[in-house]
């Protein structure tokens, strides 16, 4: 996942999607699959592949219903430091 995140941050979305998919296939039922599905979904969005992005979002929501990627916490106001 570190390599997939690196590729995503560099703008190499095809490589990021490939690494995230390889992470899901090669290491099933691990904690990193949640992040891999999120990265896969975001990479597909950046590539303009909306159907694949929606499919990844569906799998993420079904596999991890309480995921922070599916239901993000509302942003804190900038003036609250505590």
């Amino acid at each position: 996942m570190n390599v997939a995140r690196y590729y995503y941050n560099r703008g190499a979305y095809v490589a990021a999607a490939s690494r995230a998919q390889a992470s899901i296939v090669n290491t099933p039922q691990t904690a990193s699959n949640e992040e891999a599905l999120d990265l896969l979904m975001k990479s597909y969005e950046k590539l303009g592949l909306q159907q694949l992005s929606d499919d990844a979002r569906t799998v993420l929501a079904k596999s991890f219903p309480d995921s922070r990627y599916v239901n993000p916490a509302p942003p804190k106001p900038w003036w609250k430091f505590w």
Side-chain angles (χ1 to χ4, degrees):
M1 280 309 303
N2 290 331
V3 176
R5 249 184 272 115
Y6 171 78
Y7 283 140
Y8 182 82
N9 291 334
R10 299 285 295 179
Y13 304 119
V14 174
S18 176
R19 290 292 181 147
Q21 187 176 18
S23 173
I24 293 167
V25 170
N26 293 331
T27 56
Q29 299 180 357
T30 59
S32 67
N33 284 350
E34 181 179 6
E35 184 183 359
L37 284 168
D38 178 58
L39 193 64
L40 191 61
M41 178 183 65
K42 288 179 183 177
S43 296
Y44 285 149
E45 283 178 8
K46 292 286 187 176
L47 291 169
L49 302 170
Q50 194 58 42
Q51 181 63 42
L52 291 174
S53 177
D54 292 342
D55 291 345
R57 183 183 304 275
T58 302
V59 171
L60 179 62
K62 297 269 185 188
S63 300
F64 303 97
D66 297 329
S67 173
R68 64 184 170 119
Y69 302 111
V70 175
N71 302 317
K76 288 180 142 181
W78 63 270
W79 63 89
K80 289 192 176 183
F81 298 106
W82 55 94

